[in-house]
Amino acid sequence: MSLPAVLSAAGASPSPSPSQSPGVSVPTFQDAQQSANQAASWVEENWSTWLAIGLRVVLILVIAAVLRVVVRRAITKLIDRMNRTAHGGNSSSALGGLLVNAERRRQRSAAIGSVLRSVASFLILGTAALMVLSTFQINLAPLLASAGVAGVAVGFGARNLVTDFLSGVFMILEDQYGVGDVIDAGVASGEVIEVGLRVTKLRGDNGEIWYVRNGEVKRIGNLSQGWATAGVDVTVRASEDLDKLKATLTEVAEKMSKEEPWNEFLWSPIEVLGLDSVLIDSMVARVSAKTMPGKATAVERELRWRIKRAFDAADIRIVGGATAPLEEDSAPDPMAAVAAPSVYSNPASPQAEAATPIAPPQRAAGK
């Protein structure tokens, strides 16, 4: 006998339980059989749909994971290739080698790679999550609207953080400054020791460390990119021979340009630009040269030292400033050794009579 026949025979004449009340219906074996049959038929009818949904979800997740790994590796290889290209292309140029040092390249590539990988992961995983939800026939419109409202609220609440982050991203992408550069950020100035997406760390002239938020930087003056200018102004007497002055300065410039290590610091010959100003009692001669970034101060100090020694040897006098008066020899004051009269002195003494002013002659009355 089959199982349905047994169940129907067993449930044909159920005996009422003594504890059952007349108004309460008790599920029978027929009800259980009907429910089981309905569940089996529902599973049989929808198993293909659920299997298709599961396979689609698994396929979406696998594709997203593979795509994320491929994109992240591609970004890493691209950043490494850019670093190798920049390093190889700048190896023949002293300027390029100074603009991008090893630590600066490392931090810049790490920051750019981190940003690109995070953006790629967010886009890939977010798109996969939306596709999985749409596979389950979930309406995404309320979810997207809620996410938009939450994004606007977070944007208003953390606008300073977003501003710092975006400013840091653009500063790094545009290579406005890097580790080792000396910059003037307006709110602080010093040498860059770390570049972050939100904060830049500077070391000041006195050794202090400044934490500057990238969103607060309105303008940046980079003193380490390109080249620097070393300028020395020499103030001499207006009576000096110009030819002798120019010849002395030219000799100092040529000699310094050929000596080490100044020949490496100088990126152009030291030029005697001529007279910067001419006054009644003095004139200013200017000497200038292009130097490596950060070496202008050292070159100026050495140039002043050499110019002073050359002027002493050539008997060229340097005055104190553009308006400094010249010291001229004057005749000694004959009254400098005469003491001032005392209140206790004798007015009838020969010394007092000699110091008394001569009274003017008086005219006679009626003349």
Side-chain angles (χ1 to χ4, degrees):
M1 183 179 293
S2 61
L3 179 60
V6 174
L7 292 177
S8 59
S13 58
S15 58
S17 176
S19 60
Q20 292 178 352
S21 59
V24 178
S25 61
V26 179
T28 61
F29 285 103
Q30 292 180 350
D31 297 334
Q33 181 185 6
Q34 185 178 2
S35 299
N37 292 334
Q38 291 177 356
S41 62
W42 183 82
V43 171
E44 184 178 0
E45 293 175 357
N46 297 287
W47 73 271
S48 59
T49 304
W50 283 101
L51 181 60
I53 292 176
L55 292 177
R56 187 178 301 176
V57 170
V58 172
L59 183 62
I60 291 173
L61 295 179
V62 171
I63 292 176
V66 173
L67 184 61
R68 179 173 177 268
V69 172
V70 171
V71 171
R72 289 174 66 90
R73 288 185 178 179
I75 291 174
T76 302
K77 290 183 179 180
L78 178 62
I79 296 299
D80 294 340
R81 182 177 301 177
M82 290 174 59
N83 289 336
R84 290 196 299 268
T85 303
H87 181 68
N90 292 335
S91 59
S92 60
S93 172
L95 175 60
L98 288 172
L99 289 182
V100 185
N101 53 38
E103 181 65 16
R104 176 172 178 173
R105 287 198 308 271
R106 186 192 67 79
Q107 288 203 9
R108 183 167 178 255
S109 61
I112 295 176
S114 176
V115 172
L116 294 179
R117 285 190 290 267
S118 299
V119 171
S121 299
F122 177 77
L123 292 177
I124 293 173
L125 297 181
T127 303
L130 294 178
M131 293 177 66
V132 169
L133 293 178
S134 64
T135 303
F136 287 103
Q137 303 297 327
I138 297 177
N139 188 11
L140 300 179
L143 180 61
L144 294 178
S146 302
V149 173
V152 172
V154 172
F156 276 108
R159 57 184 180 274
N160 292 332
L161 181 62
V162 174
T163 302
D164 297 339
F165 180 81
L166 293 178
S167 299
V169 170
F170 283 107
M171 286 178 182
I172 294 175
L173 291 178
E174 296 173 0
D175 195 19
Q176 297 179 6
Y177 56 83
V179 175
D181 289 351
V182 178
I183 66 171
D184 181 4
V187 294
S189 60
E191 181 182 357
V192 179
I193 59 177
E194 184 177 344
V195 179
L197 294 178
R198 192 183 69 87
V199 176
T200 298
K201 294 172 64 175
L202 305 176
R203 184 175 297 278
D205 297 334
N206 297 325
E208 69 276 9
I209 296 180
W210 298 97
Y211 294 86
V212 181
R213 288 172 41 199
N214 296 329
E216 293 182 351
V217 179
K218 303 303 180 182
R219 52 92 174 164
I220 297 175
N222 196 323
L223 307 180
S224 299
Q225 286 185 350
W227 42 266
T229 302
V232 176
D233 295 333
V234 183
T235 306
V236 297
R237 295 181 298 183
S239 59
E240 295 291 345
D241 187 3
L242 294 179
D243 295 334
K244 181 180 179 182
L245 175 64
K246 184 177 181 180
T248 305
L249 293 176
T250 304
E251 182 182 358
V252 171
E254 293 178 353
K255 185 178 180 181
M256 182 175 175
S257 301
K258 297 178 182 179
E259 295 181 0
E260 294 183 356
W262 310 110
N263 54 356
E264 297 180 1
F265 295 164
L266 295 172
W267 285 2
S268 69
I270 302 177
E271 300 179 4
V272 181
L273 300 181
L275 295 180
D276 193 61
S277 63
V278 178
L279 302 177
I280 297 176
D281 52 0
S282 63
M283 55 184 178
V284 179
R286 184 168 182 81
V287 181
S288 177
K290 291 182 180 180
T291 68
M292 292 173 55
K295 301 298 182 180
T297 303
V299 172
E300 289 176 355
R301 291 172 179 172
E302 180 67 18
L303 194 56
R304 292 191 187 98
W305 183 280
R306 292 171 179 259
I307 290 175
K308 179 62 172 65
R309 295 180 62 180
F311 278 12
D312 291 343
D315 195 18
I316 299 177
R317 183 175 179 182
I318 299 177
V319 298
T323 58
L326 300 178
E327 297 180 0
E328 298 181 355
D329 297 335
S330 58
D333 186 5
M335 300 298 297
V338 178
S342 174
V343 294
Y344 300 102
S345 63
N346 185 9
S349 63
Q351 293 81 3
E353 292 180 355
T356 302
I358 301 175
Q362 297 181 356
R363 294 184 178 181
K367 291 186 180 180

